[in-house]
Amino acid sequence: MNRYDILKEIAKEKSKGASVVDYVMGIGLCAVTLDDGRTGVSYTDRKSIPWGCSLYDELPKTGVDVEEFIKLFDSSDVLLNALGTSAINACVNDENYENGDVMEAVNLSKDDVMGMVGYFDPMVSGIKRQLKTLYIFEKERTLTTWPQKALPPEEIPNVLPECSVLLISATTVMNKSFDDILKYAKTDRIILLGPSTPMVPKAFPEVKVFGGTTVSPASLKTIAHGGGTRNLYREKVGKKVILIN
């Protein structure tokens, strides 16, 4: 059983027979709320959404067992995949995690070389000041000049082995590229970060620090209005949480 099957099985075990009462597919995030109030969130890969005013002949139905949404985690459709990820996170991210910023849980030094898979814009400038070198891998940002130009993913096999710290976007869980990245890691200082993060060490034993986002049912309104993670935090319908493995 691979890590994604393990993740789905854990979500099903923790679903406790819950059903989906509402969901949103926003331009920044997607979210799913269960009938017991648990709510999960994930990233919307809007650049990969097909054109058209009606993407689906039939929309996913509410009132169904959450396992029907968990199955969407395997969909090649980016929005349905995001709903599946959100449903999984609603089930599994229900512990009393420590509140806080993931970088505060990582002891960086001027000797460290970090590989950042995914462009975390708000963090780049602050992280660069703490490190010897920062490499960022993001296909869509190779033309970015500030705060730092990104490298194409094709450079991961050449550069990642020299990194002492890895910061990996949880979108690699959604698109199932996490293992392809991990095989080049030569460090055990691995961070999984982003609103899509499932805080599940059993499925991701290599990850030392999980940095995710927990949300309340009220977050659906913010997301439906086009809000992203920073909006969730500002409106106090979501919070940053960490789990050290």
Side-chain angles (χ1 to χ4, degrees):
M1 186 179 292
N2 63 40
R3 69 174 78 248
Y4 307 112
D5 289 333
I6 292 171
L7 178 60
K8 287 184 291 184
E9 287 303 310
I10 292 174
K12 291 175 184 177
E13 290 171 5
K14 299 188 73 173
S15 68
K16 303 173 184 175
S19 61
V20 174
V21 294
D22 203 1
Y23 67 86
V24 292
M25 293 186 277
I27 60 172
L29 300 167
C30 289
V32 170
T33 294
L34 309 183
D35 59 354
D36 57 11
R38 287 182 292 167
T39 303
V41 66
S42 69
Y43 171 70
T44 298
D45 184 11
R46 58 180 175 269
K47 67 181 181 298
S48 300
I49 299 173
W51 290 98
C53 62
S54 294
L55 299 181
Y56 307 107
D57 291 331
E58 186 175 351
L59 295 171
K61 291 180 171 57
T62 57
V64 300
D65 191 292
V66 67
E67 289 194 20
E68 294 301 311
F69 271 61
I70 291 172
K71 292 176 183 176
L72 298 178
F73 178 66
D74 294 324
S75 176
S76 59
D77 181 292
V78 294
L79 287 173
L80 298 181
N81 172 274
L83 288 183
T85 305
S86 297
I88 287 174
N89 286 341
C91 295
V92 303
N93 291 351
D94 63 344
E95 305 294 334
N96 291 320
Y97 304 108
E98 181 180 346
N99 297 344
D101 194 314
V102 66
M103 297 315 302
E104 295 178 2
V106 181
N107 295 317
L108 299 177
S109 76
K110 285 294 185 179
D111 294 324
D112 279 321
V113 176
M114 176 182 282
M116 178 185 288
V117 182
Y119 210 114
F120 292 92
D121 296 68
M123 304 173 65
V124 172
S125 296
I127 288 177
K128 286 178 68 173
R129 291 194 293 267
Q130 302 177 62
L131 299 168
K132 178 181 178 181
T133 308
L134 172 65
Y135 296 108
I136 306 175
F137 304 91
E138 174 59 73
K139 182 178 181 179
E140 306 297 329
R141 301 293 296 276
T142 55
L143 299 179
T144 296
T145 57
W146 189 90
Q148 180 169 320
K149 184 175 181 178
L151 299 172
E154 291 77 16
E155 288 297 316
I156 286 177
N158 302 322
V159 179
L160 222 62
E162 70 177 83
C163 296
S164 58
V165 184
L166 298 183
L167 180 62
I168 303 176
S169 168
T171 57
T172 62
V173 175
M174 298 176 68
N175 62 28
K176 317 300 189 294
S177 65
F178 182 83
D179 289 288
D180 292 333
I181 294 164
L182 204 66
K183 65 185 179 183
Y184 299 108
K186 302 298 182 184
T187 179
D188 61 358
R189 298 169 69 194
I190 297 172
I191 306 156
L192 187 62
L193 181 65
S196 311
T197 301
M199 317 277 274
V200 184
K202 188 175 180 180
F204 302 93
E206 304 89 349
V207 174
K208 296 304 178 186
V209 182
F210 295 81
T213 299
T214 58
V215 292
S216 69
S219 66
L220 270 66
K221 181 177 180 180
T222 300
I223 293 169
H225 287 179
T229 50
R230 281 178 284 186
N231 301 104
L232 297 180
Y233 305 147
R234 289 169 185 158
E235 296 183 15
K236 301 188 186 305
V237 294
K239 60 184 179 180
K240 296 179 182 179
V241 292
I242 61 174
L243 174 64
I244 299 174
N245 187 11

